[in-house]
Amino acid sequence: MSARESLNPEGSLWDLIAVQLRRHREERRMSGSALGVILDLDRSSVSRLESGQVKLLEKHARVLDREWGTQDLFQVLLLFAKAGHDPEWFKAHFELEVLAAELRIWELAWIPGLFQTEAYTREAVLAGGFQDVDGRVAVRMKRQECLLRDPAPNLWAMLDEGVIRQPVGGAEVMRGQLARLLELGEQPNISVRIVPQRAGAHVGRDGSFKIMTVDGGDSVYVEASFGGRLAVDITDVRSYRANFDRISDRALPVDASAELIQQVMEGFR
């Protein structure tokens, strides 16, 4: 089954956008290449839009509504699609994570999945009340293989101090997890910094997110209960980039962060 044939417009607004895009193009007897000229995209990019492999951007929705006289149809569909939860977002985020040349992670609640030990992951999955614990643990461990690529991705991670202090699975699990964090932080392509509790209120308190850079373009995965949200619109991405920089202003330097992690690790007995 092709990507286009697998679209489910009744279950996903993003799929509905892709289906409507193709329908309106074909009604106007317009080729994919001609639509690419209007949107300043190549033919293959138009094909990926119509198959749901990439998401429509706000600037393209405005162009479509203007050129086709669709009375804000695409802009309204995009507004609701971005506001809702799409079960395919986590899958898309995983695919981007594997390919990313750069990753920027802000984490407010948990050790990032790419950094978790198997023991920590198991405790986190059990705490979430999920079924198939072994399967979920295996998937998360598999995700970490992206750190072993050649060339390896450059990764900047900032963690709230509460993440390293919150006991997950007991002292032994936490000592192993924090030791793993220190080990990863020593790699030349990985930076681990802690935002101390004394930083007080800052923009990062709104929630965790991850910026993934693939082929020079950024996408953002925003964490949320029962599923996250994938942001690809340039305006949204710029906002998260700015927030990441603001959070960085509150973080301890790398060496001071490592010292704090070491201190917390030694406190787990």
Side-chain angles (χ1 to χ4, degrees):
M1 179 183 296
S2 68
R4 184 174 293 172
E5 291 171 336
S6 67
L7 292 174
N8 177 21
E10 295 181 356
S12 167
L13 280 170
W14 290 106
D15 284 3
L16 178 60
I17 290 172
V19 169
Q20 287 293 320
L21 178 61
R22 184 186 182 194
R23 181 176 74 81
H24 279 271
R25 176 180 64 79
E26 291 180 342
E27 284 180 351
R28 290 161 176 78
R29 300 184 182 279
M30 179 180 290
S31 68
S33 297
L35 179 55
V37 171
I38 292 175
L39 298 178
D40 193 24
L41 296 172
D42 57 32
R43 177 66 186 87
S44 62
S45 295
V46 171
S47 178
R48 287 195 293 272
L49 280 171
E50 293 185 350
S51 64
Q53 293 175 289
V54 298
K55 310 297 187 187
L56 187 72
L57 299 182
E58 185 176 343
K59 65 178 182 179
H60 293 146
R62 287 197 300 268
V63 170
L64 290 171
D65 286 333
R66 183 183 69 244
E67 294 292 326
W68 288 349
T70 42
Q71 300 181 336
D72 296 337
L73 169 67
F74 287 97
Q75 293 176 80
V76 171
L77 285 174
L78 183 61
L79 176 67
F80 282 102
K82 290 169 66 175
H85 170 64
D86 189 322
E88 292 297 309
W89 274 334
F90 184 77
K91 178 182 176 182
H93 141 255
F94 174 73
E95 292 170 350
L96 289 167
E97 183 181 76
V98 169
L99 298 172
E102 296 180 355
L103 292 159
R104 291 169 174 82
I105 300 172
W106 160 243
E107 183 54 66
L108 187 60
W110 298 92
I111 298 293
L114 292 177
F115 292 170
Q116 290 179 9
T117 63
E118 183 172 343
Y120 184 100
T121 295
R122 185 170 296 278
E123 293 295 335
V125 172
L126 287 169
F130 294 107
Q131 301 296 318
D132 187 20
V133 173
D134 289 343
R136 286 180 175 269
V137 172
V139 167
R140 191 161 301 176
M141 294 300 102
K142 180 72 174 177
R143 283 174 54 197
Q144 296 179 5
E145 292 180 5
C146 72
L147 299 180
L148 305 177
R149 288 200 328 257
D150 185 16
N154 291 312
L155 196 159
W156 296 266
M158 291 188 292
L159 316 181
D160 182 82
E161 183 177 344
V163 172
I164 62 173
R165 290 192 179 278
Q166 179 67 37
V168 174
E172 183 177 353
V173 172
M174 287 305 298
R175 284 198 303 271
Q177 178 59 75
L178 296 180
R180 173 64 173 161
L181 203 57
L182 289 171
E183 176 188 329
L184 288 166
E186 293 176 353
Q187 297 186 20
N189 61 308
I190 298 177
S191 168
V192 177
R193 298 172 64 196
I194 306 298
V195 176
Q197 292 173 339
R198 66 173 182 270
H202 57 87
V203 296
R205 302 303 302 175
D206 286 339
S208 307
F209 61 88
K210 179 189 303 179
I211 304 172
M212 299 162 288
T213 304
V214 179
D215 295 332
D218 289 340
S219 300
V220 182
Y221 187 69
V222 185
E223 298 284 355
S225 298
F226 307 108
R229 178 172 69 89
L230 188 66
V232 297
D233 190 87
I234 190 168
T235 302
D236 293 336
V237 170
R238 283 175 177 168
S239 295
Y240 282 104
R241 273 275 197 170
N243 284 352
F244 191 85
D245 290 342
R246 293 189 183 103
I247 297 168
S248 179
D249 291 340
R250 302 297 189 96
L252 297 173
V254 170
D255 290 346
S257 295
E259 290 175 5
L260 179 57
I261 295 169
Q262 181 72 40
Q263 174 187 331
V264 173
M265 182 178 70
E266 293 171 355
F268 281 106
R269 300 186 184 282

PDB file of all heavy atoms in Angstrom, residues 32-33 36 41-51 53-54:
ATOM      1  N   GLY A  32       1.303  18.473 -10.735  1.00  0.00           N
ATOM      2  CA  GLY A  32       2.064  18.666  -9.509  1.00  0.00           C
ATOM      3  C   GLY A  32       3.173  19.680  -9.683  1.00  0.00           C
ATOM      4  O   GLY A  32       3.472  20.459  -8.774  1.00  0.00           O
ATOM      5  N   SER A  33       3.777  19.676 -10.849  1.00  0.00           N
ATOM      6  CA  SER A  33       4.852  20.643 -11.125  1.00  0.00           C
ATOM      7  C   SER A  33       4.314  22.069 -11.128  1.00  0.00           C
ATOM      8  O   SER A  33       4.953  22.994 -10.617  1.00  0.00           O
ATOM      9  CB  SER A  33       5.508  20.327 -12.468  1.00  0.00           C
ATOM     10  OG  SER A  33       6.120  19.052 -12.438  1.00  0.00           O
ATOM     11  N   GLY A  36       3.772  23.140  -7.724  1.00  0.00           N
ATOM     12  CA  GLY A  36       5.075  23.431  -7.124  1.00  0.00           C
ATOM     13  C   GLY A  36       5.546  24.840  -7.430  1.00  0.00           C
ATOM     14  O   GLY A  36       6.155  25.502  -6.580  1.00  0.00           O
ATOM     15  N   LEU A  41       7.947  25.072  -4.566  1.00  0.00           N
ATOM     16  CA  LEU A  41       8.425  23.749  -4.177  1.00  0.00           C
ATOM     17  C   LEU A  41       8.709  22.936  -5.430  1.00  0.00           C
ATOM     18  O   LEU A  41       8.159  23.212  -6.495  1.00  0.00           O
ATOM     19  CB  LEU A  41       7.365  23.014  -3.346  1.00  0.00           C
ATOM     20  CG  LEU A  41       6.980  23.608  -1.991  1.00  0.00           C
ATOM     21  CD1 LEU A  41       5.775  22.854  -1.428  1.00  0.00           C
ATOM     22  CD2 LEU A  41       8.148  23.538  -1.012  1.00  0.00           C
ATOM     23  N   ASP A  42       9.544  21.902  -5.302  1.00  0.00           N
ATOM     24  CA  ASP A  42       9.748  21.023  -6.447  1.00  0.00           C
ATOM     25  C   ASP A  42       8.633  19.976  -6.489  1.00  0.00           C
ATOM     26  O   ASP A  42       7.844  19.835  -5.549  1.00  0.00           O
ATOM     27  CB  ASP A  42      11.131  20.362  -6.413  1.00  0.00           C
ATOM     28  CG  ASP A  42      11.391  19.561  -5.148  1.00  0.00           C
ATOM     29  OD1 ASP A  42      10.435  18.997  -4.584  1.00  0.00           O
ATOM     30  OD2 ASP A  42      12.555  19.498  -4.715  1.00  0.00           O
ATOM     31  N   ARG A  43       8.564  19.244  -7.598  1.00  0.00           N
ATOM     32  CA  ARG A  43       7.488  18.274  -7.803  1.00  0.00           C
ATOM     33  C   ARG A  43       7.472  17.201  -6.720  1.00  0.00           C
ATOM     34  O   ARG A  43       6.401  16.791  -6.258  1.00  0.00           O
ATOM     35  CB  ARG A  43       7.644  17.617  -9.184  1.00  0.00           C
ATOM     36  CG  ARG A  43       6.611  16.521  -9.483  1.00  0.00           C
ATOM     37  CD  ARG A  43       5.207  17.096  -9.582  1.00  0.00           C
ATOM     38  NE  ARG A  43       4.182  16.079  -9.723  1.00  0.00           N
ATOM     39  CZ  ARG A  43       3.606  15.458  -8.696  1.00  0.00           C
ATOM     40  NH1 ARG A  43       3.950  15.761  -7.456  1.00  0.00           N
ATOM     41  NH2 ARG A  43       2.654  14.558  -8.897  1.00  0.00           N
ATOM     42  N   SER A  44       8.631  16.750  -6.290  1.00  0.00           N
ATOM     43  CA  SER A  44       8.680  15.691  -5.281  1.00  0.00           C
ATOM     44  C   SER A  44       8.132  16.179  -3.937  1.00  0.00           C
ATOM     45  O   SER A  44       7.505  15.418  -3.201  1.00  0.00           O
ATOM     46  CB  SER A  44      10.110  15.176  -5.112  1.00  0.00           C
ATOM     47  OG  SER A  44      10.979  16.195  -4.653  1.00  0.00           O
ATOM     48  N   SER A  45       8.343  17.456  -3.629  1.00  0.00           N
ATOM     49  CA  SER A  45       7.814  18.010  -2.371  1.00  0.00           C
ATOM     50  C   SER A  45       6.298  18.076  -2.410  1.00  0.00           C
ATOM     51  O   SER A  45       5.625  17.816  -1.403  1.00  0.00           O
ATOM     52  CB  SER A  45       8.399  19.403  -2.119  1.00  0.00           C
ATOM     53  OG  SER A  45       9.799  19.330  -1.915  1.00  0.00           O
ATOM     54  N   VAL A  46       5.738  18.423  -3.573  1.00  0.00           N
ATOM     55  CA  VAL A  46       4.279  18.433  -3.728  1.00  0.00           C
ATOM     56  C   VAL A  46       3.734  17.016  -3.542  1.00  0.00           C
ATOM     57  O   VAL A  46       2.709  16.810  -2.878  1.00  0.00           O
ATOM     58  CB  VAL A  46       3.877  18.990  -5.109  1.00  0.00           C
ATOM     59  CG1 VAL A  46       2.384  18.786  -5.356  1.00  0.00           C
ATOM     60  CG2 VAL A  46       4.249  20.464  -5.220  1.00  0.00           C
ATOM     61  N   SER A  47       4.410  16.037  -4.096  1.00  0.00           N
ATOM     62  CA  SER A  47       3.982  14.643  -3.955  1.00  0.00           C
ATOM     63  C   SER A  47       3.983  14.222  -2.486  1.00  0.00           C
ATOM     64  O   SER A  47       3.064  13.533  -2.028  1.00  0.00           O
ATOM     65  CB  SER A  47       4.909  13.733  -4.773  1.00  0.00           C
ATOM     66  OG  SER A  47       4.532  12.378  -4.622  1.00  0.00           O
ATOM     67  N   ARG A  48       5.002  14.652  -1.749  1.00  0.00           N
ATOM     68  CA  ARG A  48       5.071  14.289  -0.323  1.00  0.00           C
ATOM     69  C   ARG A  48       3.956  14.976   0.467  1.00  0.00           C
ATOM     70  O   ARG A  48       3.423  14.400   1.417  1.00  0.00           O
ATOM     71  CB  ARG A  48       6.447  14.635   0.249  1.00  0.00           C
ATOM     72  CG  ARG A  48       7.553  13.698  -0.229  1.00  0.00           C
ATOM     73  CD  ARG A  48       8.800  13.821   0.620  1.00  0.00           C
ATOM     74  NE  ARG A  48       9.432  15.116   0.467  1.00  0.00           N
ATOM     75  CZ  ARG A  48      10.334  15.406  -0.469  1.00  0.00           C
ATOM     76  NH1 ARG A  48      10.694  14.472  -1.332  1.00  0.00           N
ATOM     77  NH2 ARG A  48      10.877  16.601  -0.541  1.00  0.00           N
ATOM     78  N   LEU A  49       3.597  16.196   0.078  1.00  0.00           N
ATOM     79  CA  LEU A  49       2.472  16.871   0.724  1.00  0.00           C
ATOM     80  C   LEU A  49       1.179  16.105   0.490  1.00  0.00           C
ATOM     81  O   LEU A  49       0.377  15.900   1.408  1.00  0.00           O
ATOM     82  CB  LEU A  49       2.324  18.298   0.183  1.00  0.00           C
ATOM     83  CG  LEU A  49       3.252  19.377   0.726  1.00  0.00           C
ATOM     84  CD1 LEU A  49       3.096  20.662  -0.086  1.00  0.00           C
ATOM     85  CD2 LEU A  49       2.968  19.645   2.199  1.00  0.00           C
ATOM     86  N   GLU A  50       0.957  15.665  -0.740  1.00  0.00           N
ATOM     87  CA  GLU A  50      -0.285  14.983  -1.085  1.00  0.00           C
ATOM     88  C   GLU A  50      -0.356  13.565  -0.529  1.00  0.00           C
ATOM     89  O   GLU A  50      -1.442  13.000  -0.415  1.00  0.00           O
ATOM     90  CB  GLU A  50      -0.457  14.959  -2.601  1.00  0.00           C
ATOM     91  CG  GLU A  50      -0.692  16.340  -3.199  1.00  0.00           C
ATOM     92  CD  GLU A  50      -0.981  16.296  -4.695  1.00  0.00           C
ATOM     93  OE1 GLU A  50      -0.810  15.210  -5.295  1.00  0.00           O
ATOM     94  OE2 GLU A  50      -1.360  17.338  -5.253  1.00  0.00           O
ATOM     95  N   SER A  51       0.785  12.999  -0.182  1.00  0.00           N
ATOM     96  CA  SER A  51       0.789  11.659   0.408  1.00  0.00           C
ATOM     97  C   SER A  51       0.822  11.716   1.929  1.00  0.00           C
ATOM     98  O   SER A  51       0.815  10.678   2.594  1.00  0.00           O
ATOM     99  CB  SER A  51       1.986  10.854  -0.107  1.00  0.00           C
ATOM    100  OG  SER A  51       3.213  11.436   0.314  1.00  0.00           O
ATOM    101  N   GLN A  53       3.283  12.712   3.750  1.00  0.00           N
ATOM    102  CA  GLN A  53       4.614  12.459   4.298  1.00  0.00           C
ATOM    103  C   GLN A  53       5.228  13.696   4.929  1.00  0.00           C
ATOM    104  O   GLN A  53       6.080  13.587   5.806  1.00  0.00           O
ATOM    105  CB  GLN A  53       5.530  11.913   3.198  1.00  0.00           C
ATOM    106  CG  GLN A  53       5.133  10.532   2.707  1.00  0.00           C
ATOM    107  CD  GLN A  53       5.988  10.076   1.544  1.00  0.00           C
ATOM    108  OE1 GLN A  53       5.880  10.589   0.433  1.00  0.00           O
ATOM    109  NE2 GLN A  53       6.848   9.115   1.801  1.00  0.00           N
ATOM    110  N   VAL A  54       4.836  14.869   4.475  1.00  0.00           N
ATOM    111  CA  VAL A  54       5.241  16.120   5.112  1.00  0.00           C
ATOM    112  C   VAL A  54       3.989  16.947   5.361  1.00  0.00           C
ATOM    113  O   VAL A  54       2.960  16.770   4.697  1.00  0.00           O
ATOM    114  CB  VAL A  54       6.253  16.925   4.259  1.00  0.00           C
ATOM    115  CG1 VAL A  54       7.543  16.148   4.055  1.00  0.00           C
ATOM    116  CG2 VAL A  54       5.657  17.304   2.907  1.00  0.00           C
TER     117      VAL A  54
END
